[in-house]
Amino acid sequence: MADVKLSELHKYYGNVHAVRGVDLTIADGEFAVLVGPSGCGKSTLLRTIAGLEDLDGGTITIGGAVVNDLRPRERNIAMVFQNYALYPYLTVNENIAFGLRARKTPEIEIRKRVSEAAEMLGIGNFLQRYPRQLSGGQRQRVAIGRAIVRKADLFLFDEPLSNLDAQLRDEMRTEIKRLHHEITTTMIYVTHDQVEAMTLADRIVLLRDGKIEQQGAPLELFEQPRTGFVAGFLGSPSINLIPATLKANGAGAAVVFQSGDALTLPKARAESLINADGQQVLVGIRPQHFSRAGGPLRDGVVPYSAVADLIQPTGTRTFTTIKIGGFDAVAELQAHDVSSHGERIDLAIDLNRVVLIDPASGLVIA
Ligand SMILES: Nc1ncnc2c1ncn2[C@@H]1O[C@H](COP(=O)(O)OP(=O)(O)OP(=O)(O)O)[C@@H](O)[C@H]1O
Ligand SMILES: [Mg+2]
């Protein structure tokens, strides 16, 4: 068990400044997920923690001890990669036990740990098989088994599920979450999949160009993004960002689109926006904040009449493309709320959680 502290970490590959001053504290037992677009430095950051990359600056502390000068095997870290190469000529049992044998662990202890891990991962019946006789998900579990028998202080995962099909990914994601509940070891998990990040994390660390853009609990990042980048990265379908001009006076506030349409913002927002009167903004409305209008509207919910363009049913919900202020926006409606292209639909938009972004700085202003 261990907490992890990163301070002022820097890593260069030649001219590429891959990690640019990362400060991060992960509590003992916490499940932290590093997420961000391809190339933002997630794997590099993880590999520096593991000791697989040398640092160009900064300090890594694990369990209170600075590990900068320790070699990977001295850091007591277990790592599961995307390409979890298993030894093809060893059985599942021998694959899981491999690291323990290499460390000269007594046989009786090896047997105990392997059977515990296999039990926890539901692969007890496959111990005598070879990797080629397993499905992708079963192989993935063997790779995780190999890591957990080590009783490491810290688990690092780098996109361990990206080779699996969608259904298996969902299953394994649940298993990894359950595993963390059972063994409560600190975990740092890298993914570029925002759904994986949201569902697994105690804390999401969203990276962008080698820096932390924002970190916090999943719903905190989702509901209170500090930048347009965070708002746009989390959520599927993505948040709609529509250019508009803000009008605000003491009596109220509204966003006016280039088409001339306007939406009145909730009263609670008006006061803080007086100074931003006349400012250009991107109006961020999540697809989930649309619904079919019906009955009286709550405070902060406004009516909007639109024409359904593309209709994408998912079974549970139907994603419908409409125009707002002349721009395409996606509304997530109930499965049967809309039936045909070109249909006029009366919508309600909940603006209580609208985010307004300054397009110049990318910062959320309200
Ligand atoms: N060995 C290397 N030599 C040179 N540049 C590298 C090396 N490894 C990574 N980089 C660069 O460092 C940056 C960060 O790479 P990294 O692999 O950490 O990204 P990532 O966030 O893990 O991306 P992905 O989601 O695609 O795996 C990228 O610009 C990448 O091209
Ligand atoms: Mg990577």
Side-chain angles (χ1 to χ4, degrees):
M1 304 292 280
D3 60 348
V4 179
K5 285 200 177 73
L6 311 179
S7 68
E8 264 303 295
L9 290 198
H10 287 273
K11 171 70 190 171
Y12 289 86
Y13 295 109
N15 294 330
V16 180
H17 197 173
V19 174
R20 302 196 292 155
V22 167
D23 286 301
L24 178 63
T25 302
I26 298 165
D28 186 13
E30 195 170 25
F31 197 137
V33 176
L34 307 180
V35 68
S38 187
C40 70
K42 306 179 293 294
S43 296
T44 304
L45 191 54
L46 204 69
R47 291 170 58 80
T48 60
I49 298 170
L52 299 170
E53 300 282 355
D54 290 331
L55 281 173
D56 293 302
T59 315
I60 301 175
T61 311
I62 301 176
V66 175
V67 299
N68 283 40
D69 296 328
L70 295 186
R71 287 183 304 173
R73 57 176 318 160
E74 297 166 331
R75 297 189 185 193
N76 201 21
I77 288 173
M79 191 152 175
V80 181
F81 295 97
Q82 173 178 357
N83 298 314
Y84 41 88
L86 301 176
Y87 301 105
Y89 301 110
L90 298 182
T91 61
V92 167
N93 185 19
E94 291 160 343
N95 264 285
I96 297 177
F98 192 86
L100 297 178
R101 289 226 163 83
R103 285 178 174 73
K104 308 252 184 302
T105 311
E107 269 312 304
I108 187 156
E109 177 69 16
I110 294 181
R111 239 173 285 144
K112 178 166 162 283
R113 290 206 208 168
V114 170
S115 79
E116 275 172 11
E119 179 68 22
M120 196 182 284
L121 295 165
I123 50 175
N125 291 334
F126 309 132
L127 286 175
Q128 299 317 317
R129 289 202 200 169
Y130 290 90
R132 64 173 182 280
Q133 300 169 312
L134 300 177
S135 73
Q138 289 161 345
R139 274 182 230 166
Q140 184 64 60
R141 274 172 254 194
V142 177
I144 294 172
R146 197 166 55 176
I148 63 179
V149 290
R150 295 256 324 274
K151 306 241 155 117
D153 290 332
L154 175 63
F155 270 69
L156 305 179
F157 294 90
D158 193 351
E159 310 234 15
L161 307 185
S162 52
N163 287 337
L164 306 179
D165 67 41
Q167 192 177 350
L168 210 47
R169 273 182 89 118
D170 288 354
E171 276 174 39
M172 286 302 299
R173 200 174 68 207
T174 310
E175 284 183 28
I176 289 176
K177 185 131 189 171
R178 180 164 299 124
L179 178 73
H180 181 248
H181 278 287
E182 284 178 27
I183 65 177
T184 65
T185 307
T186 314
M187 294 188 177
I188 309 179
Y189 187 106
V190 161
T191 180
H192 60 262
D193 179 340
Q194 52 96 16
V195 176
E196 221 164 275
M198 290 288 292
T199 50
L200 284 174
D202 294 323
R203 178 144 46 122
I204 292 184
V205 180
L206 181 46
L207 291 172
R208 179 189 191 185
D209 296 336
K211 288 187 186 160
I212 296 178
E213 179 89 353
Q214 189 173 348
Q215 55 166 310
L219 290 180
E220 182 187 327
L221 259 68
F222 189 75
E223 292 171 357
Q224 297 157 46
R226 275 198 227 115
T227 66
F229 181 82
V230 177
F233 191 84
L234 299 176
S236 175
S238 293
I239 193 167
N240 300 295
L241 296 172
I242 308 147
T245 306
L246 184 68
K247 299 282 178 211
N249 58 38
V255 285
V256 182
F257 299 111
Q258 286 157 15
S259 63
D261 292 350
L263 297 176
T264 304
L265 297 176
K267 286 201 190 65
R269 294 292 187 88
E271 200 146 325
S272 68
L273 289 170
I274 293 176
N275 292 336
D277 181 42
Q279 187 175 335
Q280 297 299 306
V281 290
L282 290 170
V283 183
I285 306 172
R286 294 221 177 259
Q288 299 78 15
H289 293 153
F290 291 85
S291 57
R292 280 304 290 258
L297 299 176
R298 286 185 299 119
D299 271 359
V301 180
V302 297
Y304 195 83
S305 172
V307 174
D309 181 13
L310 300 176
I311 300 172
Q312 303 178 71
T314 67
T316 46
R317 312 282 280 163
T318 293
F319 304 142
T320 309
T321 310
I322 55 169
K323 289 264 190 254
I324 292 197
F327 286 82
D328 279 343
V330 174
E332 183 179 333
L333 303 175
Q334 308 263 30
H336 295 280
D337 274 351
V338 53
S339 47
S340 53
H341 169 79
E343 180 184 343
R344 180 158 285 281
I345 40 178
D346 288 321
L347 297 174
I349 310 179
D350 186 346
L351 294 175
N352 289 302
R353 292 227 211 100
V354 70
V355 289
L356 301 179
I357 296 153
D358 171 5
S361 67
L363 296 176
V364 170
I365 58 167

